[in-house]
Amino acid sequence: MKMTARIAAITVTAGIAGMAALAMVAPAVADTITHSSVLAAIGGPAGDGQGNGNGNGNGNGQGNGNGQGAGTGADQGAGAELAITAAQGTLTDTQRSTLAALAQDEQLARDLYTAFADRYELTVFDRIATTEQRHLDAIRALMERYGVADPTEGQSAGHFTDPAVQATYDRLLTEGAESQTAAAEVGKQVEQLDIDDLQRALTGLSAPDAQQVYTSLVTASRQHLTAFDRWA
């Protein structure tokens, strides 16, 4: 009986010690989880991101692990359509022509990036090309609202109704074919041209829905410019 009582006492003492140790470790574990969550939230620029990581662990009292991750951000909300929520207004004849021209700008960007995505392994081209299609869809929605003929309708990739746009596309495609870095430089050129065209289009514009779309596209183009700048 005395021996049984001693064993029970030892067991209880060990259990209390183990709980105390767990209490000491728990805050550290909680802190690790919180820190990891914060890193996940701020670990990359807003937009499309990719990450690759590998980890290995071996137990039996000892553990070793290695992990690596890399990611790039291309665009905010690339997976979502650009919803037009602002009211329709009125456009002058010049603004209607500008709207049609912006559609060709978006087609040019989409077609160039798609061509570069087929040539190079850099995923930013494919991701931004997908976003440019959504931008073109938003411009097309405006053209439908205002009864503006769509110059990109029925046009295959790399073909444009405006000879000047066609010449620009052909020149930039040739420049980007030299190397992946050259293609990223072309991307920078295209996004800067888009920003300039959109800002000019916003001047004197009163239609709320067009203002909404153009302003959103300026923001997106600036993000694209930053993404391409990392690879140029």
Side-chain angles (χ1 to χ4, degrees), residues 169-183:
Y169 175 86
D170 293 341
R171 174 178 60 81
L172 294 176
L173 184 64
T174 300
E175 290 180 12
E178 295 179 1
S179 67
Q180 179 175 283
T181 299

Side-chain angles (χ1 to χ4, degrees), residues 131-154:
T131 304
E132 297 295 350
Q133 176 60 57
R134 294 188 175 93
H135 294 174
L136 178 55
D137 290 342
I139 293 294
R140 284 172 169 168
L142 285 178
M143 288 191 291
E144 184 175 354
R145 280 192 177 194
Y146 290 98
V148 176
D150 183 2
T152 68
E153 184 178 4

Side-chain angles (χ1 to χ4, degrees), residues 45-50 71-79 127-128 131:
D48 296 334
Q50 286 189 325
T72 60
D75 185 83
Q76 275 189 336
R127 290 180 175 275
I128 297 184
T131 304

Side-chain angles (χ1 to χ4, degrees), residues 2 16 32 53 57 59 67 110-111 120 122 125 137-138 143 147 163 193 201:
K2 291 181 179 179
I16 294 173
T32 300
R110 181 201 64 186
D111 293 353
Y120 305 114
L122 194 60
F125 291 122
D137 290 342
M143 288 191 291
L193 287 171

Side-chain angles (χ1 to χ4, degrees), residues 46 74-76 82 131 135 191 194-195 198-199 202 211-227:
D75 185 83
Q76 275 189 336
L82 178 57
T131 304
H135 294 174
E191 296 305 329
D194 283 353
I195 291 170
L198 287 163
Q199 288 180 330
L202 281 165
Q211 287 177 331
Q212 180 191 7
V213 172
Y214 294 177
T215 301
S216 296
L217 297 190
V218 168
T219 299
S221 288
R222 286 174 176 159
Q223 293 167 349
H224 296 173
L225 185 61
T226 299

